[in-house]
Amino acid sequence: MPPPYHQPRPEIVLKRAEELINVGQSVGALETLYDALIGRRLRNANATNTESYIRKFVELCIEQRHGKQLKEGLTQYRNIVQHNNPESLGTVVEGMLTDITARVTSAQKSAEQVTVGLIEDLDEGETPENMILSLVSGEQNKDRADRAVVTPWLKFLWEAYRNLLDILRNNVRFEKLYQRISNRAIDFCRTYERKTEFHRLCDLLRLHLQTIAKYSHQQNSVNMANPETMQLFLDTHFHQLNTATEMELWQESYRSVEDIHNLIQQSKRPINPQAMANYFEKLTRIMYVAKNPLFLAAAWHRYYNYIFRQTKIFSAEQLQSVANNVLLSTLAVPIITPSPRVLAATAKENKHRTQRFTSLLFLSAAPTRVSLVNDLVSGDVLTRVLPALRPLYDLVEEQFHPLSICKKLGPVLSDQIATNDDVAKYGTLLCNVILTRLLQQLSQVYASVQLDFIVGLARFPEPYAMSAAAIERFIMHGARRGEFQLRIDHQERSVVFDTDPFDSSQSLSNGAQLQASPSDLMRSQLSSLAICLSNAQRVACPDYVAEKHARKQAAVTAALQNMAVEHREATARKLVIDRRKEVIENALARKERTETRERAIRIQREQELERERLAEDQRRREAERMQKERDTIQRQEAKKLAESIKIKAGIDVSIDDLEQMDTSRLLEMQVEQIEREKHDMQARLKAMARKAEHTERAYRKSELPLLADDYDRQKLADRENHDAARAAQLKQSKDKFAHDIGQKKRFAHMYDDFNALRSSLDQGHSEALAAERKRVREELARARDERLAEYRRMKAEKDETEAKERAEREAREAEEERANAAKAAEITRLREEMAAQRARDEEALRLRLEREQAAELEKERVEKAASKKYVPPSRRAATGTGSSFTSPPPAAASPSPAPSSSMSPSSGASPAPSAKKAYIPPGRRNQMQ
């Protein structure tokens, strides 16, 4: 490939690609466009000039289904237009998706035609070959046709959506386009029922949302603090939630609800009540599929609270339907009173799930059946439900009677609930609640009952009827979970209720208490005993009671007296603590500001140095690259010139000689060879001209006698041809004249009748013709007036739009000027602070140097003063000083101490003379010498 700056312009490359397409070379055209698109020259091209280029590139990629090259090309085009013309990418992308979708639709129609074309005879049934093939392969003709024709285009469309989302993610300039592509991808999965791709799409969108916070420091990253951006993400995830519930992908619906909940918590702007109502409505469907009656009822309560005051959006019928669901879902919450053993086993298991569901419903505490029933009563739900369903609450919660409850609820269950598809799903749960409460109240009255008696009481209407086996299974399941304290005696066909006085779970029911259970009596035994003893003491010892009352009054009086003092002390202590906190916080804030300013200055200096280093490296690398490119171009030109010389002149130049020669030497060799060829060519041409001249003279000399005879023959032939043509022309003219005369005689007697008919017709249609002309002129005048009015209106709108754009542009320029002025002021302030800090550092350095110099002078003065002190004679010999009381002259060096045995003899200081020489024996003297 040639060097980057030798690449042609986009217009030339596009023209070359169109030429290749015209000759059937679409693959070569795509390669040409792709190579130019990833080149360096196109990176700096104008966005308006490259839009037609990228459109042709996208068209070829779609035609050949090259997804990888399409992604790389769109990525390159995004880098080109994201700063100047980001709307261009949106136009290209929308057109690309429309084209691919149209091809998918066309492929589906083609697959249907292929399937119909495979049927040779419509009267003939299934052939044995097709039956065997269907048994072996497991697919029909339509499935095979779809897999061969439609599936490749569906896969290409899915890859296009996924690649576009990767290209546009976390870019504030394309955030609206990103949301549009996300919505179209969701619609694609819903239209073609692509559940697997929908799972992957949701995971991809969730991953992009998580990476926004991770890469928020990057340039052009999406800012989630912007309310408009947050609203775009909320709209997309609500669309994702609606599609997931429509496709019945409940796990993905739950994840979408979690994503929306996290976005709502991050949002600083209140969410639209209609959107929140949609959120809770989807939660009701998810909780119903999850078979969680408690949170299903809580979700219906939240949904009703949001649509209660939205009467303009929701009709009275919708409110009544929601109120019916709130009532029945609340009453259908199971009355769970498990034993402590079961509670301890399941508490840890359900704790996290309960907390998560509570958070999704925006509740501060987990809902309970009691709280939901209280909300049901305190609100106006009971006034909005169907009149036939209003007695349901009183029968189940207030007036529950185990012997007649099923008879009273039978008409409501069969006529109102079972026939209503909206609330029919609560019938089974409601029957379970009724059966649970029936067993609880029977356990309060009876010690044992017959199983047939319970079956007789629990007779529910169809389709909620429960057989004896189903009731027995329900009882055993509740006993296993610890909800019922009972045993079934199959021999006697009876149910025996346990009366354990130490089991507190039997008294936890929130229904009506017919009488106190043994556990209630046992639990209140100590409190009853304490009350009896207190009453007896009050009767038997009145003095003790009076004394106790007096001590209580004295304690209260003392507390009231000391309360003001303690309050003042506590207030003063709080003020001192607050003042200390404030001082510490101010000191920490000042320290933090100082450190931040120093860190910013240090970082700025480091960045400036790093920028200078990078710029220098860039200049060096650019110079090296340019030199390499010049050398490469020079070698290529020399090689081409040598090849040209070899082809034209026949001079063979080896590679070694080529490297030693320069371009001028090669040109000289080529010029010499051309001169030699020119001389040879002139000589050959001269010889050929001489030969041609002699031949022509011989031809003319031999043909002179024959020219006269040929001229005579030509004159005779021309005369004969002229006479024949003249005779034929005369004959044709006579025949035509005779025919015309005959025709004139035939039509002569019709001329008077024609004139009479013409005049009558003209007189009859003259008025209509005049009216028609007048109408046409009026219509033309009216159309001209309308065009003038339309032109004036469009001109006024254009002027108004231009004025508005001019005002916006002036406001934007003013805002930019203010921002630039503020930025310049900030830079000036930072420079002044840096200069002041530099001056303070220099002043501190100068002061430190002055202090060090003063300390040195003080040290020298102290040493000089110490050297002038009086030294006794007994210490003078040890110190090596003289007998005088004065110090040596200033020019002389200060006396040095006597050299020790470890001092080097090469030391610069000479030892002082000893005050008294020691005696040395003669034997030692000789040894020393």
Side-chain angles (χ1 to χ4, degrees):
M1 190 176 73
Y5 58 90
H6 278 176
Q7 291 180 354
R9 296 192 302 273
E11 298 83 1
I12 299 176
V13 177
L14 181 59
K15 184 177 180 181
R16 186 183 305 168
E18 291 177 351
E19 293 175 354
L20 291 173
I21 294 172
N22 293 332
V23 297
Q25 297 291 332
S26 299
V27 178
L30 179 60
E31 292 294 333
T32 302
L33 294 175
Y34 176 74
D35 293 339
L37 184 60
I38 63 175
R40 182 175 303 173
R41 180 162 189 170
L42 197 63
R43 297 178 188 174
N44 301 323
N46 190 3
T48 57
N49 298 332
T50 56
E51 185 171 348
S52 58
Y53 183 93
I54 195 67
R55 284 181 182 276
K56 180 60 68 175
F57 173 77
V58 168
E59 180 183 350
L60 292 176
C61 289
I62 294 173
E63 181 180 350
Q64 303 175 23
R65 291 205 295 263
H66 285 180
K68 184 178 180 181
Q69 291 183 353
L70 179 61
K71 180 180 179 181
E72 293 177 357
L74 290 176
T75 303
Q76 183 68 23
Y77 189 65
R78 178 203 63 186
N79 298 333
I80 295 173
V81 303
Q82 67 176 350
H83 297 293
N84 300 325
N85 189 13
E87 295 81 7
S88 177
L89 181 62
T91 306
V92 173
V93 167
E94 294 288 348
M96 179 190 74
L97 293 178
T98 304
D99 190 8
I100 301 176
T101 306
R103 291 177 182 267
V104 171
T105 306
S106 177
Q108 288 178 337
K109 295 180 180 179
S110 301
E112 293 176 358
Q113 295 176 359
V114 169
T115 306
V116 174
L118 292 175
I119 303 175
E120 298 179 358
D121 189 359
L122 296 176
D123 295 332
E124 185 180 355
E126 190 73 16
T127 61
E129 293 82 0
N130 292 338
M131 294 175 65
I132 295 174
L133 183 61
S134 63
L135 291 174
V136 173
S137 63
E139 58 184 10
Q140 300 297 326
N141 292 331
K142 187 177 187 308
D143 298 332
R144 290 193 294 271
D146 288 345
R147 188 177 62 183
V149 179
V150 182
T151 303
W153 283 110
L154 279 177
K155 182 179 179 181
F156 184 72
L157 181 57
W158 162 245
E159 290 179 355
Y161 279 121
R162 187 174 57 187
N163 293 335
L164 286 175
L165 291 176
D166 285 335
I167 292 171
L168 302 174
R169 66 186 179 97
N170 198 18
N171 195 322
V172 70
R173 300 181 184 274
F174 303 109
E175 58 179 355
K176 294 183 179 179
L177 179 61
Y178 174 83
Q179 303 301 337
R180 290 203 303 270
I181 299 302
S182 301
N183 292 327
R184 291 191 63 166
I186 293 171
D187 295 336
F188 160 78
C189 297
R190 181 184 59 189
T191 302
Y192 299 102
E193 297 181 358
R194 309 302 303 177
K195 296 185 178 181
T196 304
E197 284 75 12
F198 185 75
H199 281 295
R200 295 174 182 171
L201 176 63
C202 294
D203 293 339
L204 182 65
L205 295 178
R206 195 171 295 112
L207 178 62
H208 290 174
L209 185 60
Q210 292 173 358
T211 55
I212 288 176
K214 182 178 180 181
Y215 299 105
S216 59
H217 61 280
Q218 293 182 351
Q219 186 181 7
N220 296 330
S221 61
V222 175
N223 184 15
M224 295 301 292
N226 187 5
E228 296 181 357
T229 302
M230 180 63 68
Q231 187 61 40
L232 289 175
F233 275 94
L234 282 172
D235 294 341
T236 301
H237 282 78
F238 270 115
H239 186 44
Q240 174 184 334
L241 174 61
N242 296 333
T243 304
T245 54
E246 184 178 347
M247 299 175 68
E248 296 184 356
L249 299 175
W250 303 113
Q251 187 70 24
E252 202 59 50
S253 300
Y254 177 72
R255 293 180 180 177
S256 302
V257 166
E258 287 185 329
D259 296 338
I260 294 174
H261 175 262
N262 295 333
L263 289 174
I264 291 174
Q265 287 185 333
Q266 296 176 14
S267 177
K268 298 180 180 179
R269 179 186 292 181
I271 308 300
N272 185 10
Q274 189 174 2
M276 291 301 299
N278 183 26
Y279 171 83
F280 287 115
E281 192 271 333
K282 295 300 184 294
L283 262 181
T284 59
R285 300 177 64 180
I286 294 172
M287 293 303 171
Y288 176 73
V289 174
K291 296 181 180 180
N292 194 324
L294 178 61
F295 283 95
L296 172 62
W300 277 114
H301 276 266
R302 297 289 291 166
Y303 181 43
Y304 179 79
N305 291 336
Y306 265 92
I307 71 171
F308 172 62
R309 293 179 177 84
Q310 303 295 326
T311 55
K312 295 182 179 179
I313 301 176
F314 299 94
S315 60
E317 290 77 8
Q318 291 177 331
L319 287 174
Q320 188 180 54
S321 176
V322 175
N324 296 337
N325 281 277
V326 172
L327 173 63
L328 292 176
S329 63
T330 305
L331 296 179
V333 175
I335 305 173
I336 301 175
T337 56
S339 63
R341 173 180 57 81
V342 178
L343 280 175
T346 59
K348 186 176 181 181
E349 177 184 356
N350 298 332
K351 181 179 179 181
H352 176 71
R353 182 176 61 183
T354 303
Q355 291 178 351
R356 190 58 186 165
F357 286 171
T358 305
S359 176
L360 292 178
L361 291 172
F362 297 96
L363 297 175
S364 57
T368 60
R369 192 178 192 277
V370 177
S371 62
L372 294 176
V373 171
N374 293 335
D375 293 341
L376 186 68
V377 176
S378 60
D380 62 340
V381 179
L382 296 177
T383 61
R384 291 183 179 271
V385 298
L386 285 172
L389 295 178
R390 291 174 186 172
L392 194 61
Y393 171 78
D394 295 332
L395 293 175
V396 176
E397 296 295 331
E398 301 294 338
Q399 303 173 3
F400 188 90
H401 197 284
L403 301 180
S404 60
I405 183 65
C406 292
K407 294 180 181 179
K408 295 178 180 179
L409 286 179
V412 179
L413 290 174
S414 59
D415 298 338
Q416 301 298 329
I417 297 179
T419 58
N420 191 350
D421 296 335
D422 191 21
V423 296
K425 55 189 175 183
Y426 302 110
T428 304
L429 297 174
L430 190 60
C431 292
N432 293 337
V433 171
I434 293 170
L435 186 56
T436 302
R437 181 155 288 175
L438 187 146
L439 291 172
Q440 288 178 349
Q441 294 198 1
L442 288 178
S443 66
Q444 297 177 16
V445 179
Y446 302 102
S448 64
V449 295
Q450 291 294 323
L451 187 59
D452 297 336
F453 177 70
I454 297 176
V455 173
L457 292 178
R459 290 182 178 177
F460 300 104
E462 293 293 341
Y464 307 115
M466 300 178 67
S467 61
I471 294 175
E472 183 178 350
R473 189 183 307 111
F474 179 81
I475 293 173
M476 294 305 299
H477 181 69
R480 180 174 59 83
R481 288 182 51 84
E483 299 174 8
F484 306 132
Q485 301 296 327
L486 52 81
R487 291 178 292 106
I488 295 181
D489 188 352
H490 290 281
Q491 185 176 3
E492 299 292 336
R493 289 195 57 78
S494 63
V495 177
V496 180
F497 298 103
D498 293 339
T499 57
D500 187 2
F502 298 101
D503 188 6
S504 61
S505 63
Q506 297 180 356
S507 61
L508 296 178
S509 175
N510 57 353
Q513 293 287 335
L514 301 182
Q515 64 182 17
S517 63
S519 60
D520 293 336
L521 296 175
M522 180 57 68
R523 189 174 63 254
S524 61
Q525 191 70 23
L526 290 177
S527 60
S528 301
L529 180 60
I531 292 172
C532 293
L533 291 176
S534 178
N535 294 332
Q537 185 184 23
R538 197 163 45 247
V539 174
C541 302
D543 297 336
Y544 174 75
V545 174
E547 183 182 357
K548 183 178 179 181
H549 182 69
R551 286 199 302 269
K552 182 177 179 181
Q553 291 295 332
V556 170
T557 304
L560 291 174
Q561 292 176 356
N562 297 329
M563 183 175 63
V565 178
E566 292 177 356
H567 178 68
R568 286 194 299 271
E569 293 177 354
T571 304
R573 185 166 60 252
K574 183 176 181 298
L575 292 175
V576 171
I577 293 172
D578 293 340
R579 192 176 299 111
R580 290 178 180 176
K581 283 184 178 180
E582 185 178 357
V583 171
I584 294 172
E585 289 176 356
N586 292 335
L588 291 175
R590 285 194 300 272
K591 182 179 179 182
E592 184 177 357
R593 285 195 297 270
T594 304
E595 292 177 353
T596 303
R597 184 170 58 254
E598 293 176 354
R599 191 185 307 111
I601 295 172
R602 184 173 65 255
I603 292 173
Q604 185 178 3
R605 291 175 181 174
E606 292 176 355
Q607 290 177 352
E608 290 177 357
L609 294 176
E610 184 66 18
R611 282 195 296 270
E612 292 177 358
R613 186 184 65 79
L614 292 176
E616 183 64 28
D617 293 344
Q618 182 67 22
R619 287 193 295 271
R620 179 178 54 78
R621 287 195 298 269
E622 187 67 20
E624 293 176 356
R625 185 185 63 79
M626 295 294 293
Q627 184 63 34
K628 288 181 181 179
E629 291 180 355
R630 282 194 293 269
D631 296 341
T632 303
I633 293 170
Q634 187 175 2
R635 286 195 299 270
Q636 290 178 355
E637 290 180 352
K639 187 175 180 180
K640 291 180 181 178
L641 188 57
E643 292 177 354
S644 175
I645 293 173
K646 182 178 179 181
I647 294 172
K648 295 181 179 180
I651 301 175
D652 191 5
V653 181
S654 63
I655 302 298
D656 298 334
D657 296 339
L658 183 64
E659 293 179 355
Q660 295 176 1
M661 295 180 182
D662 55 356
T663 308
S664 60
R665 176 57 185 161
L666 291 173
L667 290 174
E668 291 177 0
M669 294 174 62
Q670 187 177 10
V671 169
E672 293 175 359
Q673 183 63 26
I674 290 172
E675 290 293 333
R676 285 195 299 270
E677 291 178 354
K678 182 178 179 181
H679 289 303
D680 295 343
M681 181 61 67
Q682 288 178 355
R684 287 196 298 270
L685 290 175
K686 189 180 292 185
M688 291 173 62
R690 188 181 300 110
K691 182 178 179 180
E693 182 181 359
H694 292 168
T695 304
E696 184 65 24
R697 287 182 178 181
Y699 284 155
R700 292 188 179 185
K701 186 177 182 180
S702 60
E703 71 179 3
L704 283 175
L706 303 176
L707 290 176
D709 298 337
D710 183 70
Y711 176 69
D712 295 336
R713 288 194 300 271
Q714 187 67 31
K715 285 197 300 181
L716 293 175
D718 292 342
R719 170 60 63 182
E720 292 176 356
N721 293 332
H722 174 72
D723 294 340
R726 179 63 179 171
Q729 182 180 5
L730 290 175
K731 186 178 181 300
Q732 185 179 1
S733 298
K734 289 179 181 180
D735 294 340
K736 185 176 182 302
F737 178 75
H739 180 268
D740 292 341
I741 292 297
Q743 290 293 108
K744 180 180 180 182
K745 290 179 180 179
R746 286 178 59 196
F747 292 108
H749 65 279
M750 298 171 58
Y751 186 72
D752 296 335
D753 297 336
F754 169 74
N755 290 332
L757 179 62
R758 180 177 179 180
S759 60
S760 63
L761 290 175
D762 289 341
Q763 291 176 1
H765 293 282
S766 59
E767 296 179 358
L769 183 61
E772 183 66 19
R773 288 176 179 175
K774 182 179 181 181
R775 186 185 61 81
V776 170
R777 283 195 295 270
E778 290 177 355
E779 288 182 357
L780 289 175
R782 186 169 58 256
R784 183 174 63 255
D785 295 338
E786 291 178 355
R787 286 197 300 272
L788 288 174
E790 180 67 19
Y791 172 74
R792 293 191 185 96
R793 186 184 61 80
M794 293 177 63
K795 188 174 185 303
E797 291 179 355
K798 182 178 178 182
D799 295 341
E800 184 180 357
T801 304
E802 291 178 354
K804 187 181 296 182
E805 291 178 354
R806 191 183 307 107
E808 292 178 355
R809 184 170 61 254
E810 292 176 356
R812 187 165 57 253
E813 291 176 356
E815 182 66 24
E816 291 178 356
E817 290 179 359
R818 288 195 296 271
N820 293 333
K823 185 176 179 181
E826 181 66 18
I827 293 173
T828 304
R829 186 183 62 80
L830 289 176
R831 288 178 179 174
E832 292 177 356
E833 290 182 357
M834 291 174 62
Q837 183 66 27
R838 194 181 300 111
R840 287 194 294 270
D841 294 342
E842 292 176 357
E843 182 65 22
L845 179 61
R846 185 182 63 78
L847 293 175
R848 183 166 61 83
L849 292 176
E850 289 179 356
R851 287 195 297 269
E852 291 178 356
Q853 187 176 4
E856 291 291 336
L857 293 175
E858 182 67 21
K859 184 177 179 182
E860 291 178 1
R861 187 183 63 77
V862 171
E863 290 178 354
K864 288 180 181 181
S867 63
K868 293 180 181 181
K869 292 181 181 180
Y870 170 76
V871 181
S874 59
R875 295 184 61 186
R876 292 173 191 166
T879 58
T881 60
S883 60
S884 63
F885 295 95
T886 61
S887 60
S894 61
S896 303
S900 61
S901 59
S902 62
M903 182 177 289
S904 173
S906 63
S907 175
S910 61
S914 178
K916 184 178 180 180
K917 294 183 178 179
Y919 173 75
I920 301 175
R924 293 283 303 278
R925 295 176 189 168
N926 295 331
Q927 293 178 2
M928 293 176 64
Q929 293 176 357

